[in-house]
Amino acid sequence: MLVDYHLHTVFSRHATGSMEDYLDKVRRLGIEEVCFTEHTSRQYLPEEFCHQIPSAWMQENELSIYLEQLAAAAKTTSIRIKRGLEVDYFAGYEEPLGEFLDSLPLDFALGTVHFLPMYQMQYISLIEAEPTALLLQYLDYTKKAIESGLFDSLAHIHLGWQAVPWPKGEDGKAARDALGEVVAAALRQDMCLEVNTRAFNFEGYGTSQAYGRFLEMITDYGVPVTLGSDAHAPKDVGRNYSEALRTLKHYGILEVATFEKRKRQMVPIGDRLLKAAGTK
Ligand SMILES: [Zn+2]
Ligand SMILES: [Zn+2]
């Protein structure tokens, strides 16, 4: 089955395209199931913390409109549409976050770490700091997000090693151990990690070697994955799928997770899917 579990429309405030525009593209690609995952966080954080988030994200009063639009869109198409959100994790706010997620009719909660409080809430790739320290802080914070047990999957862990060059020598070993702890935490929590196909653009310091290291650990630990393009415009739906799916197969990852009312079901990635995904 062909799925894309990471899509942003205008609701996320820095993406373009309506749900209809996205579904048009989804239909043309032959993708059978999608999950919209708009950026939210203002909805669960106290006001004094909210204003520290440097990005606009979905405004508080838009969430109910978003959920209504999802329900309406689902009635117009045979594409299966899942209700998701991409929500920032911040240590110390687990309780309101849990209550927020429990109060919503969601299929999928995608956890995410974009901003690190110990670096003045800057976006990870904009932080100027000692590279190894930054990577280790990022991985440790990501592990905390996983251990909160609040999410179904954790988004784009590659942001860490895209922001800084993968360290060498002893530091490289420490980073590798820290990444191993992140993957082990996901296994303990019985949750997914995301294969975010934007990673295959190899932006910043991202490399196929670093991504391969991550996929190898996923295979070793047997952690389930979700698959998503992180599209911020309809043209990016299913981005890099050919390469990503070939790579997953190479690492023996033959299934991806789908969700309904936050219950996971694994579906096989077949050859048919590889052919259908001829998009870059
Ligand atoms: Zn994100
Ligand atoms: Zn995203």
Side-chain angles (χ1 to χ4, degrees), residues 202-259:
F202 303 114
E203 292 164 48
Y205 294 101
T207 62
S208 56
Q209 194 192 10
Y211 210 75
R213 189 179 292 128
F214 172 56
L215 292 178
E216 209 170 84
M217 286 185 189
I218 296 242
T219 310
D220 286 353
Y221 286 88
V223 170
V225 299
T226 57
L227 178 70
S229 62
D230 207 351
H232 282 67
K235 69 172 175 50
D236 289 329
V237 177
R239 92 172 98 194
N240 299 330
Y241 263 32
S242 299
E243 187 181 353
L245 298 177
R246 258 198 314 273
T247 308
L248 287 182
K249 208 168 180 185
H250 172 79
Y251 285 95
I253 299 167
L254 304 175
E255 292 185 317
V256 292
T258 59
F259 286 84

Side-chain angles (χ1 to χ4, degrees), residues 72-84:
K75 287 184 188 149
T76 65
T77 172
S78 58
I79 299 161
R80 280 188 300 282
I81 301 175
K82 296 301 171 75
R83 299 159 295 183

Side-chain angles (χ1 to χ4, degrees), residues 56-220:
W57 285 183
M58 184 195 284
Q59 298 301 291
E60 282 171 61
N61 59 349
E62 291 173 324
L63 183 54
S64 56
I65 305 167
Y66 166 62
L67 292 169
E68 279 165 27
Q69 276 200 20
L70 280 176
K75 287 184 188 149
T76 65
T77 172
S78 58
I79 299 161
R80 280 188 300 282
I81 301 175
K82 296 301 171 75
R83 299 159 295 183
L85 291 175
E86 180 179 1
V87 189
D88 294 270
Y89 168 79
F90 294 109
Y93 295 93
E94 290 84 353
E95 203 178 310
L97 172 55
E99 286 169 8
F100 168 65
L101 293 173
D102 285 349
S103 72
L104 299 170
L106 292 181
D107 292 306
F108 179 58
L110 180 60
T112 189
V113 175
H114 298 110
F115 314 112
L116 290 175
M118 65 288 275
Y119 291 106
Q120 291 79 46
M121 292 288 282
Q122 289 183 82
Y123 188 71
I124 169 96
S125 60
L126 302 176
I127 297 170
E128 284 183 29
E130 201 279 310
T132 305
L134 175 56
L135 181 56
L136 293 179
Q137 288 273 23
Y138 171 76
L139 291 172
D140 186 55
Y141 212 74
T142 301
K143 185 170 140 231
K144 280 200 183 78
I146 290 167
E147 288 173 339
S148 75
L150 295 169
F151 305 112
D152 301 312
S153 183
L154 206 94
H156 50 56
I157 291 172
H158 71 275
L159 287 190
W161 61 85
Q162 189 177 279
V164 298
W166 191 277
K168 294 194 171 25
E170 280 301 304
D171 285 354
K173 187 180 173 308
R176 204 187 163 95
D177 289 349
L179 179 58
E181 281 186 39
V182 168
V183 179
L187 179 68
R188 277 197 305 277
Q189 220 36 259
D190 187 27
M191 67 174 270
C192 297
L193 296 175
E194 182 190 54
V195 172
N196 183 300
T197 60
R198 184 168 174 179
F200 291 82
N201 283 353
F202 303 114
E203 292 164 48
Y205 294 101
T207 62
S208 56
Q209 194 192 10
Y211 210 75
R213 189 179 292 128
F214 172 56
L215 292 178
E216 209 170 84
M217 286 185 189
I218 296 242
T219 310
D220 286 353

